[in-house]
Amino acid sequence: MLAGALDVSTGVGHSLTGLRERLRDATSAAHRKLDAQLSSFDLTVFSGYRRFLQASAGALLPLEAALVEAGVARMFPDWPERARSHAIATDLARLGQDAQATVSVSPMTPGGVLGTMYVLEGSRLGAKFLLKTIADATDSRVAEATAYLSHGTGKRLWQSFLSKLQSEEPCDEDEVIEAARAAFAAFERAADRA
Ligand code: HEM
């Protein structure tokens, strides 16, 4: 038993906890910028909330489509539980609009899938915060169109994503980081266009 324990402790030097930190550092400026950009939409009023959803869908749809194309479900078998294109389309339909991709994104490598997933799964943390803002909306249509922002509540999808990030085979970290930056850039472009 002891030998087994020692085997585990003498394992790999390659730490993917480090990758999460690298991802956070590499994207923190982009996150702040996007946060400021999205904060200019008043989510408590119908038009502002609808623009926010359009901006989000503009990037989410093509990013999720590219993930599917790259075989995301092989890396994340619970992908159907994570995908939010349907939820955001439902919300926009309730507000009388079609969800549309407004930016184009590049095909993804396996590292690219991981970096993109970091950004999309991380956006749930912001969503939780935004839901609180929406609670102040006087327009009931806004409160009834929160399938996207409340998606996955209680399922600990961010935590399980982080476990996955740590357990993945070592891959090209630069590729993962590059994809995370590209995903943030896609949201930024979509927000500019909304
Ligand atoms: C106004 C909008 C947003 C706000 C207020 C916001 C706020 C936050 C907050 C408070 C956290 C930290 C939560 C925690 O550690 O428990 C967080 C994390 C994160 N957010 Fe946002 N967010 C917003 C939009 C977005 C969007 C649109 C994306 C991506 C498209 C995004 C990506 C991320 C990522 C990747 C993390 C995880 C960072 C880490 O590794 O710790 N956020 N956000």
Side-chain angles (χ1 to χ4, degrees):
M1 291 304 279
L2 185 60
L6 283 174
D7 279 351
V8 171
S9 66
T10 52
V12 279
H14 180 95
S15 158
L16 276 156
T17 312
L19 177 54
R20 189 270 180 103
E21 262 105 52
R22 277 191 73 197
L23 279 162
R24 188 169 43 201
D25 288 351
T27 58
S28 71
H31 184 281
R32 268 196 303 279
K33 198 168 167 205
L34 184 61
D35 189 351
Q37 223 176 344
L38 294 176
S39 303
S40 68
F41 300 106
D42 183 352
L43 303 188
T44 63
V45 302
F46 180 87
S47 59
Y49 184 59
R50 188 163 75 173
R51 266 183 74 216
F52 162 78
L53 285 177
Q54 274 170 346
S56 307
L60 182 74
L61 264 51
L63 286 168
E64 287 198 347
L67 284 168
V68 169
E69 192 69 25
V72 64
R74 282 197 296 275
M75 200 182 281
F76 292 90
D78 61 352
W79 168 249
E81 263 196 276
R82 296 183 182 272
R84 287 176 293 169
S85 290
H86 181 70
I88 207 164
T90 304
D91 289 341
L92 276 164
R94 274 180 176 264
L95 305 183
Q97 207 131 62
D98 286 337
Q100 271 167 356
T102 57
V103 300
S104 51
V105 300
S106 304
M108 288 165 200
T109 59
V113 168
L114 211 51
T116 305
M117 285 297 282
Y118 166 76
V119 177
L120 295 188
E121 291 302 307
S123 73
R124 295 181 195 278
L125 303 173
K128 202 166 149 185
F129 177 88
L130 296 177
L131 262 182
K132 291 194 191 126
T133 312
I134 286 173
D136 296 333
T138 45
D139 194 322
S140 63
R141 290 172 300 175
V142 169
E144 284 161 10
T146 53
Y148 169 64
L149 286 180
S150 62
H151 185 274
T153 301
K155 291 187 176 170
R156 301 179 60 80
L157 292 170
W158 171 245
Q159 287 78 3
S160 57
F161 166 76
L162 287 181
S163 310
K164 181 77 182 166
L165 186 67
Q166 280 166 26
S167 67
E168 262 311 293
E169 292 290 307
C171 57
D172 185 338
E173 294 198 357
D174 291 340
E175 217 171 88
V176 179
I177 286 164
E178 200 37 58
R181 285 209 179 100
F184 266 108
F187 274 94
E188 199 183 314
R189 289 199 305 281
D192 278 341
R193 285 173 194 180

